[in-house]
């Protein structure tokens, strides 16, 4: 079955950077659109970034545009999220998601496969 394993989370000071990785298995990675979502305590899961199968189209939430960069390496079955200029409000559990159809790349309902998440904490 599809497995998505996130890594790279941690504690960082405001203004710092982190790079999240999501290793995928059990699927033909190049056939799946990929996304990153996050969920802070007491809040709903929200879209962060999405990327199409070949990386030709990329989507970002307004709150992260210019600071975060999503990319993928289809040879390594991995999608990345480079996060720069981190803010305390970026603190959340970050989830990787995958979908074969990828018709709704900015909504959680548009993804059929999810990882377990990795914690990102940004201190002020």
């Amino acid at each position: 079955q599809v497995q998505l394993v996130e890594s790279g989370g941690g504690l960082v000071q405001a203004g710092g950077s982190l790079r999240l990785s999501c290793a995928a298995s059990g699927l033909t990675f190049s056939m799946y659109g990929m996304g990153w979502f996050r969920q802070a305590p007491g809040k709903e899961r929200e879209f962060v970034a999405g990327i199409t199968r070949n990386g030709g189209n990329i989507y970002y939430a307004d709150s992260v545009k210019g600071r975060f960069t999503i990319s993928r390496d289809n040879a390594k079955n991995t999608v990345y999220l480079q996060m720069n200029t981190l803010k305390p409000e970026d603190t959340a559990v970050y989830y990787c998601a995958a979908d074969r159809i990828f018709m709704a790349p900015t909504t959680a309902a548009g993804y059929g496969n999810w990882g377990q998440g990795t914690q990102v904490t940004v201190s002020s």
Side-chain angles (χ1 to χ4, degrees), residues 35 62 68 91 94 99:
D62 287 343
F68 290 11
T91 295
Y94 282 71
D99 196 79

Side-chain angles (χ1 to χ4, degrees), residues 20-94:
L20 305 184
S21 299
C22 171
S25 60
L27 75 168
T28 303
F29 185 71
S30 61
M31 300 295 286
Y32 281 71
M34 301 297 296
W36 287 96
F37 288 74
R38 66 187 182 186
Q39 188 166 17
K43 294 188 177 181
E44 292 188 355
R45 192 169 297 191
E46 66 172 357
F47 170 75
V48 175
I51 187 168
T52 51
R53 298 171 184 85
N54 62 359
N57 288 301
I58 289 176
Y59 312 87
Y60 292 106
D62 287 343
S63 58
V64 307
K65 277 181 183 176
R67 299 189 298 123
F68 290 11
T69 303
I70 188 172
S71 61
R72 65 187 295 159
D73 185 336
N74 286 350
K76 295 183 177 179
N77 287 7
T78 302
V79 63
Y80 305 97
L81 185 68
Q82 177 67 44
M83 306 186 295
N84 297 329
T85 319
L86 283 160
K87 304 175 181 180
E89 51 263 44
D90 294 318
T91 295
V93 176
Y94 282 71

